[in-house]
Amino acid sequence: MYNYLEYGSSDAPRNHEDPEQYDRFMARIEAGEKIEADDWMPDDYRQGLIKLISMHGISEIMGALPEKEWVPKAPTLKRKLGIMAKVQDEMGHGQLLLRVAEDLMKPYGKTRKDLIENLLSGDLKFHNVFHMPTKTWADAGMVGWLVDGAAIISQTNMLDASYGPYQRALQRICQEEVFHAQHGEAIIMALAEGSDHQREILQESLNRWWPSLLMFFGPASADTTGSSKQDIMIKYKIRKSNNEELRQAFLDKYLPRVFSLGLTVPDETVHYDEEQGQWVYQQPDWDEFKQIIKNKGPRSKERLRLRQIAYENNSWVRQALSKEVVGS
Amino acid sequence: MERGEEKVITSAEQAKQDPTYLQALKELLYQLADDDFLVSFRGSEWLGLAPHIEEDVAFSSITQNTMGHALLFYQLLEELGEGKVDVLAHDRKPSERKNAIYLEKKNGEGHYTEEPYYDWALTVVRNYFYETFKKIKLEAITKSSYQPLANVAGKVLMEQPYHLAHWKLWFEQLYNSTDDARARLQTRIAEAWEEFGDVLELGPYATEMAHFELMISEVELRDRWLEEIELMLGTLPSRTLGKKYGSGREGEHTSDLDQAIEIFQDVYVSDEGAVW
Ligand SMILES: [Fe+2]
Ligand SMILES: [Fe+2]
């Protein structure tokens, strides 16, 4: 999903790199060639990818948690099956992406264990939307429809990424995301056409998610939060558009749908400005955003706690698997 | 084709002709549906909490299949006029539910969204024992006199052996690894031995089920299961298999079922009659 959000220490300098090698590398990606795991790559490219892909992967895993709250509670057998399949896909995306990140981390002697431990220690961030609480079944629909909708926009933006293993993982992920959006939309449609109570929880859910959805794509520029790594990702042809362009694409696609369902967003100023050719909207609270991605969001601690319990409580299983002797 | 003194029954309409046959058939279907529904419910609580990500994905896929099986059995009940599948799954009183008590048992301490100290050893033992049983029951049912059920059993058996293989592998791996892992399994096996009894029961219509050739006898079901488990364990626990909390087949249940119902009907009851 999930856009690149700055975290961790600054990049290592590239001073010891051979300029010729670097030029050849740049020529390859300029020509649209894909870089593979064993190819030479500049350090800041590798490090940028590790951050991007491990954050993307871990966000898929953490993203399963808010939706998972509704899996056992889903109102019908069909919905129970649908949401379970969807959450399973997200875990699968996480698995796929963490493997890509693991390959990139090999030269540094790091493994999956480090990723999980970095998550638990707070060094590895996960996406802002997954720090938020869920309150009603409408949230299950909202996540599938608009959070996945936002994810589709940011992920398709990287479908041509210069790093081959990531690019191929994204191809598969985006195919599945289409089903997620349909799944979310089906839940939303049922609520929109349903009882007063159902319409109420739907509107309430959208009101609550709106600021998080705007934050999803990150700040428009580095000035807002102090740092932004959008540019290097564009230079290395990982992504094409910047944060604001992605947010505009999201508003373009979804606001008309929101309005046609008779729903509103909690921003009276929101409108399409013909002259500027873009949506004008009230900025979300970017200071709050900074707090959220520092694991100071409303449900950050609780979600991390779930991961931690799962990790520690099952450590005997992983230990047993590593010591497993061939059965008699 | 003649089967004993009974004919093969090919439709719901035909099954309704004989009230005793119908009663025995419905009883069997409720057991099958409710067992799978509870097992898949407990599985769904694990989502996101499995020992590793790969297992989360695999376990979830099994859980979905199992819930799909429950749906197939509830559909057969719906055809017999018992009500809509979602009402059957979400809106029946505990005393009307026929799942075995051991299958409703909580996954461990805590709640799935808060402090879930779930026990993987319980999950491995329970699922291995259950899937072993389910395969035997389904294989018997492929020869059932009720054709629509025999067909469903055949369909379910296209997936179910993979589930059994999955849990069997977990069981073997953990049983043959660290002392700690083996001890944890053994504790859960000893516990299961006190509680698994009603899983193997067919309830108040067991005799009719055998008589109408809906299903093999309880004794045969139990013997085949014990045989399979003995192959795995080498020797069976010396005590006889118990049913510490009673028999779910008779509608007896524990507060663990109440806890499950409260969760799985949470949204359903929030606006009854709504279309979701
Ligand atoms: Fe995803
Ligand atoms: Fe998704």
Side-chain angles (χ1 to χ4, degrees):
Chain A
M1 281 192 181
Y2 319 127
N3 234 353
Y4 187 76
L5 302 169
E6 168 63 354
Y7 75 91
S9 56
S10 62
D11 292 337
R14 298 203 334 260
N15 48 17
H16 52 277
E17 276 163 11
D18 174 355
E20 266 179 49
Q21 230 169 0
Y22 185 82
D23 291 344
R24 269 200 304 278
F25 169 84
M26 284 309 287
R28 283 187 67 195
I29 61 173
E30 293 297 341
E33 271 182 57
K34 298 295 170 225
I35 306 302
E36 296 302 326
D38 295 332
D39 294 352
W40 185 89
M41 62 187 85
D43 241 20
D44 60 348
Y45 181 78
R46 183 184 296 277
Q47 291 190 9
L49 282 174
I50 291 173
K51 284 181 183 177
L52 170 72
I53 299 167
S54 58
M55 186 189 162
H56 184 172
I58 216 71
S59 292
E60 298 274 5
I61 307 272
M62 294 305 286
L65 296 179
E67 273 187 299
K68 172 238 156 88
E69 292 170 8
W70 295 95
V71 169
K73 291 182 177 176
T76 67
L77 288 165
K78 213 178 109 192
R79 293 280 182 239
K80 278 183 165 77
L81 285 167
I83 191 168
M84 219 186 312
K86 198 269 186 187
V87 176
Q88 181 198 356
D89 278 356
E90 305 297 9
M91 298 294 295
H93 296 170
Q95 176 187 331
L96 199 65
L97 292 163
L98 291 189
R99 284 187 184 162
V100 175
E102 279 159 18
D103 282 343
L104 283 162
M105 285 158 43
K106 261 183 206 149
Y108 304 132
K110 298 250 164 75
T111 64
R112 166 106 45 114
K113 195 165 171 269
D114 296 292
L115 286 176
I116 302 290
E117 282 168 5
N118 287 346
L119 169 74
L120 297 178
S121 71
D123 289 336
L124 174 55
K125 306 297 187 202
F126 61 102
H127 207 276
N128 75 292
V129 275
F130 304 127
H131 296 256
M132 305 311 285
T134 68
K135 287 188 177 149
T136 67
W137 169 248
D139 293 346
M142 203 54 70
V143 171
W145 186 40
L146 293 184
V147 173
D148 279 61
I152 290 174
I153 296 210
S154 89
Q155 290 176 146
T156 47
N157 187 247
M158 299 188 290
L159 270 181
D160 199 28
S162 60
Y163 187 58
Y166 188 44
Q167 187 258 351
R168 290 189 291 274
L170 285 171
Q171 300 282 342
R172 196 178 124 189
I173 289 171
C174 284
Q175 282 172 3
E176 292 184 354
E177 291 299 345
V178 175
F179 294 105
H180 298 178
Q182 286 170 359
H183 150 90
E185 224 171 311
I187 295 175
I188 296 293
M189 292 303 288
L191 296 175
E193 292 163 5
S195 66
D196 290 348
H197 165 74
Q198 285 173 308
R199 286 194 61 87
E200 244 165 63
I201 59 172
L202 177 58
Q203 181 63 61
E204 188 275 332
S205 171
L206 180 53
N207 293 349
R208 231 171 342 98
W209 283 95
W210 183 248
S212 303
L213 289 164
L214 290 177
M215 289 174 188
F216 183 95
F217 299 95
S221 74
D223 326 332
T224 321
T225 54
S227 69
S228 168
K229 282 293 167 66
Q230 311 180 45
D231 300 341
I232 193 171
M233 288 291 119
I234 292 175
K235 172 180 110 183
Y236 281 140
K237 294 200 181 298
I238 303 298
R239 59 189 288 192
K240 288 179 175 153
S241 315
N242 65 35
N243 292 352
E244 188 55 34
E245 287 164 346
L246 293 174
R247 188 167 21 246
Q248 287 292 331
F250 173 77
L251 297 172
D252 260 345
K253 181 169 174 188
Y254 286 101
L255 272 182
R257 298 191 194 184
V258 163
F259 298 142
S260 79
L261 286 175
L263 297 166
T264 58
V265 296
D267 174 0
E268 280 166 15
T269 68
V270 76
H271 67 279
Y272 190 77
D273 186 309
E274 297 286 349
E275 256 174 56
Q276 293 182 54
Q278 59 174 5
W279 290 91
V280 177
Y281 57 91
Q282 207 171 28
Q283 289 295 316
D285 182 348
W286 291 109
D287 286 328
E288 194 190 329
F289 173 79
K290 270 196 277 183
Q291 293 304 311
I292 291 171
I293 58 169
K294 274 190 216 155
N295 293 339
K296 289 178 184 159
R299 296 295 288 173
S300 314
K301 294 278 173 287
E302 291 81 354
R303 301 259 159 77
L304 283 168
R305 175 91 185 126
L306 282 184
R307 271 273 124 242
Q308 186 178 10
I309 290 173
Y311 188 65
E312 287 167 4
N313 190 40
N314 290 318
S315 66
W316 70 271
V317 180
R318 289 189 306 275
Q319 206 174 358
L321 291 181
S322 67
K323 284 196 183 144
E324 184 209 340
V325 292
V326 179
S328 51
Chain B
M1 188 176 84
E2 293 282 319
R3 280 180 181 272
E5 54 187 284
E6 297 304 321
K7 284 202 168 99
V8 170
I9 306 295
T10 57
S11 70
E13 282 318 305
Q14 206 183 340
K16 287 181 196 165
Q17 305 297 314
D18 179 343
T20 323
Y21 183 91
L22 180 64
Q23 198 53 48
L25 171 60
K26 287 196 292 198
E27 204 63 30
L28 179 60
L29 287 171
Y30 275 119
Q31 293 170 15
L32 291 162
D34 291 343
D35 277 359
D36 273 349
F37 187 54
L38 259 297
V39 166
S40 58
F41 169 76
R42 290 297 176 209
S44 75
E45 286 185 306
W46 264 105
L47 191 53
L49 303 169
H52 49 70
I53 300 163
E54 282 74 5
E55 177 58 22
D56 244 318
V57 174
F59 189 6
S60 168
S61 151
I62 291 176
T63 300
Q64 287 163 59
N65 286 343
T66 304
M67 195 170 285
H69 303 164
L71 175 58
L72 291 171
F73 296 125
Y74 284 130
Q75 274 165 349
L76 291 173
L77 283 161
E78 186 178 314
E79 286 167 22
L80 290 167
E82 288 295 281
K84 292 277 175 207
V85 288
D86 282 313
V87 178
L88 296 176
H90 296 91
D91 207 8
R92 279 155 60 228
K93 290 198 282 284
S95 60
E96 295 166 343
R97 294 185 184 263
K98 299 298 165 68
N99 62 278
I101 295 176
Y102 178 65
L103 307 179
E104 71 202 30
K105 192 182 189 67
K106 288 182 188 172
N107 290 319
E109 297 298 315
H111 184 270
Y112 76 98
T113 60
E114 232 168 286
E115 304 294 297
Y117 286 95
Y118 286 178
D119 183 16
W120 192 245
L122 166 60
T123 292
V124 169
V125 170
R126 171 155 61 191
N127 282 290
Y128 169 59
F129 280 10
Y130 177 68
E131 296 292 0
T132 301
F133 148 82
K134 183 173 165 182
K135 185 157 180 280
I136 297 166
K137 194 166 182 176
L138 286 172
E139 280 169 351
I141 285 174
T142 56
K143 301 184 195 83
S144 175
S145 60
Y146 189 53
Q147 204 76 70
L149 175 57
N151 294 344
V152 165
K155 220 166 158 184
V156 172
L157 277 170
M158 301 208 290
E159 300 176 335
Q160 193 272 343
Y162 296 103
H163 307 173
L164 173 56
H166 180 87
W167 294 112
K168 194 173 177 185
L169 182 64
W170 264 112
F171 191 96
E172 284 169 339
Q173 282 183 329
L174 293 179
Y175 206 72
N176 296 310
S177 61
T178 58
D179 292 344
D180 176 40
R182 181 182 280 239
R184 284 171 190 263
L185 286 196
Q186 277 167 339
T187 305
R188 288 302 184 176
I189 293 168
E191 174 192 71
W193 224 255
E194 292 177 9
E195 300 177 25
F196 199 80
D198 67 331
V199 178
L200 299 166
E201 287 182 348
L202 295 170
Y205 287 85
T207 320
E208 286 80 0
M209 285 178 201
H211 168 76
F212 289 119
E213 298 194 15
L214 280 160
M215 178 58 205
I216 53 174
S217 74
E218 244 171 31
V219 178
E220 202 178 337
L221 178 62
R222 187 187 170 96
D223 286 350
R224 283 197 202 168
W225 184 81
L226 287 169
E227 209 174 286
E228 287 292 328
I229 300 301
E230 191 171 14
L231 276 177
M232 173 64 90
L233 296 180
T235 45
L236 293 174
S238 51
R239 272 165 301 131
T240 47
L241 208 55
K243 40 174 183 170
K244 194 172 171 182
Y245 301 107
S247 177
R249 309 303 187 206
E250 309 271 357
E252 293 169 346
H253 293 287
T254 63
S255 60
D256 284 14
L257 180 63
D258 300 329
Q259 177 260 5
I261 292 174
E262 201 186 312
I263 295 172
F264 67 61
Q265 67 168 208
D266 178 272
V267 181
Y268 179 89
V269 297
S270 71
D271 192 349
E272 275 188 82
V275 178
W276 297 98

